[in-house]
Amino acid sequence: MPINPQVIETSADVLTANLFTMSIIGLELTSPNFHRVDGMGHVVETVIHPDGGSGLQRKFHGGTINFNDITIARIQDGTDNDKQLYKFIIGNLASGNKSDGVFIKYHKQSIVRRIEFLGMCMFSHEYPSYDNAAAAGDERSYPTPVDYCEEVFV
């Protein structure tokens, strides 16, 4: 059953028609949403078994799929969304509640990739490194373990 993401209007501007959106169910951000997502993917547990007299190690499928933790990042922009996101994150840290999310990648305003995340549990709220010599914005990143993710082909 597909997750219904927040509807975000995409621009017809050539420079912005190839972006992505990352929506978290239960969090309605209206200003530019997350600008970076790292770590998407999954790996299979590997069992290594040394082979008797040959000196070789045989590798076998361990039967467990592990989904990578992702990190989502957003630059604070001075809108009410900053306060809303902060309250959402702090509430999840205090309660341990999990959320679901949807990553959608656009190319020429068409969806080319959709990945749904189940069981996202934000366990950290990280402040950026501050440097007066840097001109970067106030980026906040949120490391997030994921129970399950699946690419949905559209």
Side-chain angles (χ1 to χ4, degrees), residues 2-154:
I3 299 171
N4 294 322
Q6 170 188 352
V7 176
I8 298 174
E9 295 294 326
T10 57
S11 170
D13 186 347
V14 173
L15 296 176
T16 59
N18 297 323
L19 299 178
F20 73 88
T21 58
M22 177 71 187
S23 300
I24 298 174
I25 307 306
L27 180 64
E28 302 288 333
L29 296 181
T30 55
S31 71
N33 89 14
F34 301 100
H35 75 278
R36 183 171 49 86
V37 179
D38 295 324
M40 293 186 286
H42 51 278
V43 296
V44 175
E45 178 187 33
T46 304
V47 176
I48 300 174
H49 186 290
D51 189 11
S54 69
L56 298 176
Q57 290 186 339
R58 306 287 182 185
K59 296 176 182 149
F60 298 96
H61 188 291
T64 303
I65 298 174
N66 297 314
F67 296 92
N68 296 348
D69 293 353
I70 62 172
T71 299
I72 53 179
R74 180 178 183 276
I75 294 178
Q76 288 195 326
D77 56 4
T79 64
D80 286 339
N81 289 314
D82 295 339
K83 186 186 301 183
Q84 182 185 359
L85 179 60
Y86 180 78
K87 285 182 179 180
F88 181 81
I89 298 297
I90 295 302
N92 279 351
L93 291 174
S95 68
N97 289 339
K98 293 185 176 187
S99 303
D100 298 333
V102 179
F103 170 88
I104 299 176
K105 173 67 173 115
Y106 297 92
H107 181 69
K108 296 181 181 177
Q109 294 181 306
S110 296
I111 296 174
V112 294
R113 174 160 291 138
R114 177 186 172 109
I115 300 174
E116 297 181 354
F117 297 94
L118 302 176
M120 297 170 49
C121 182
M122 297 179 185
F123 66 87
S124 176
H125 175 244
E126 297 180 2
Y127 292 98
S129 298
Y130 290 103
D131 181 357
N132 282 334
D138 191 13
E139 177 185 282
R140 302 293 169 98
S141 60
Y142 308 96
T144 307
V146 174
D147 289 342
Y148 179 78
C149 71
E150 181 176 1
E151 184 164 358
V152 178
F153 294 92
V154 292

